Amino acid sequence: MRPEPAIESLRVQIAKIEGRDRRVKSVLPFGIADVDSRLPGGGLALGALHEVAGGGNGAIDGAAAALFGAGIAARTKGKILWCITRADLFAPAIAQAGLVADRVIYVETGDDKTVLACMEEGLRHGGLGAVVGEIARLSMTASRRLQLAAEGTGTIAIALRRWRRQTEAIDFGQPTAATTRWRVSALPSTPLPVPGVGRHRWLVELIRARAGESADFELEACDDTGRLALPPELVHRPAAAEGWRRGASG
């Protein structure tokens, strides 16, 4: 039996309010089949909150996590709002990850509370490609506010989790409303046939994906268009790829 037109109309309106259609239809693919296949819709959901942190010592310096976030933001359209608490973000490195300086609006604040407020205001504006915020603590309530603000406008939100002491990184295990949670750790660079430094490599861990699967991947770092890549030796070796991919937990 078909539902009454009024009931069907109400369902459509509720879905729009909750942002479910946007989450399903609007995604930002990484362009790497093995990564995208782990994410609902085949990519990173737009209009949603995503958490990124560095692994190991990267939990303090946040370098790899910031570049990972910059690569995501670079592949969106429009200006990027980037909120920081420490004036140590290296803009040339962000540009090398595809996010050129004239696209970024930097806001320096003194604490997490102000960063969260600026992020929410930026998300509710609706005219930005992405909103990035550097924060240490992220409660369920605060993350839910960011998630709802992102859903309302379709802007992607990236919470860069960064701590001043290694012991504080345990907070990354606390539940939040984020759609995905990632951890990015630096690996040795791609070997070159001549002396020099090759393209950086990361261990990218998808720790949590709502309605998706957790996994981790060895990938080459973002290029100047913000795109990741499989290491050359793994591109044509699916059996080897199975060897380095393993289920993540945490």
Side-chain angles (χ1 to χ4, degrees), residues 119-131:
M119 288 182 69
E120 186 175 345
E121 188 67 23
L123 290 168
R124 295 192 185 283
H125 179 269
L128 299 170
V131 173

Side-chain angles (χ1 to χ4, degrees), residues 82-126:
W82 196 303
C83 308
I84 59 176
T85 55
R86 285 177 267 182
D88 60 357
L89 188 65
F90 191 51
I94 297 299
Q96 288 180 353
L99 192 54
V100 294
D102 62 0
R103 287 190 61 198
V104 188
I105 302 169
Y106 293 106
V107 176
E108 185 178 350
T109 71
D111 52 49
D112 284 358
K113 182 178 179 180
T114 310
V115 167
L116 291 167
C118 291
M119 288 182 69
E120 186 175 345
E121 188 67 23
L123 290 168
R124 295 192 185 283
H125 179 269

Side-chain angles (χ1 to χ4, degrees), residues 20-105:
R20 287 182 291 186
D21 287 344
R22 182 181 298 113
R23 289 198 297 270
V24 171
K25 296 178 181 178
S26 300
V27 298
L28 184 68
F30 283 98
I32 301 173
D34 199 58
V35 179
D36 290 334
S37 66
R38 301 302 181 104
L39 298 167
L44 202 63
L46 299 176
L49 171 66
H50 305 275
E51 285 184 85
V52 184
N57 292 332
I60 304 287
D61 62 55
L67 293 174
F68 180 80
I72 294 170
R75 293 183 292 110
T76 65
K77 296 180 180 179
K79 295 287 187 179
I80 309 302
L81 179 65
W82 196 303
C83 308
I84 59 176
T85 55
R86 285 177 267 182
D88 60 357
L89 188 65
F90 191 51
I94 297 299
Q96 288 180 353
L99 192 54
V100 294
D102 62 0
R103 287 190 61 198
V104 188
I105 302 169

